[in-house]
Amino acid sequence: VTTIVAVALIGTALGSVVELTAETYPEVTGNMDKITLVKVYADWCGHCQSLAPAYKEVAEHFAGKEEVVIAKFNAPEHEDYARNVLEIKSFPTMFFYKNGKKIDYSGERNKQAFIDYVEANL
């Protein structure tokens, strides 16, 4: 585990949303021992901004659960990765990773729906 990823995972344990980069994204989401929920966002996106407080509460809910990572990825800051690897077409886009496999999240976008989805997959 790289130092950057170790710091990111400590942030999760403390209940904060982990900020992924193009460099850390594959390692964090590919971890076979973790379940990761990722919000791909843009700072200028109104829907992303309105989702942020509830998403932070989701991270706080899972604080201390080492097997759960609640993360976000700023697509405009990592445009090549967002466009060419993740194939992002709209914001926010939600992904769920379990056993290193990506699943497009299509459920409701609120605190309880995220919590229920993650807990159902533990």
Side-chain angles (χ1 to χ4, degrees):
V1 176
T2 65
T3 303
I4 293 169
V5 173
V7 169
L9 297 179
I10 289 169
T12 298
L14 299 175
S16 58
V17 177
V18 174
E19 182 76 44
L20 300 177
T21 66
E23 292 76 31
T24 62
Y25 196 103
E27 191 169 349
V28 172
T29 60
N31 189 321
M32 300 298 278
D33 299 324
K34 308 277 184 204
I35 288 176
T36 308
L37 183 64
V38 179
K39 174 181 77 168
V40 180
Y41 72 99
D43 287 329
W44 48 260
C45 166
H47 293 292
C48 301
Q49 292 168 1
S50 63
L51 185 58
Y55 201 66
K56 184 176 184 318
E57 290 177 15
V58 173
E60 291 167 356
H61 176 86
F62 289 107
K65 288 209 184 256
E66 292 182 21
E67 68 274 20
V68 177
V69 178
I70 305 300
K72 62 184 179 177
F73 181 77
N74 187 325
E77 282 186 11
H78 307 278
E79 187 174 349
D80 285 344
Y81 193 86
R83 178 174 290 144
N84 300 318
V85 177
L86 299 178
E87 300 178 348
I88 300 303
K89 300 196 180 352
S90 64
F91 300 110
T93 296
M94 303 297 301
F95 294 125
F96 180 76
Y97 293 83
K98 183 174 184 177
N99 299 322
K101 292 189 184 343
K102 179 173 86 169
I103 301 163
D104 294 336
Y105 176 87
S106 60
E108 291 186 46
R109 294 176 182 210
N110 62 57
K111 174 186 168 184
Q112 197 58 53
F114 291 141
I115 289 170
D116 290 348
Y117 190 84
V118 171
E119 288 181 345
N121 283 281
L122 284 174

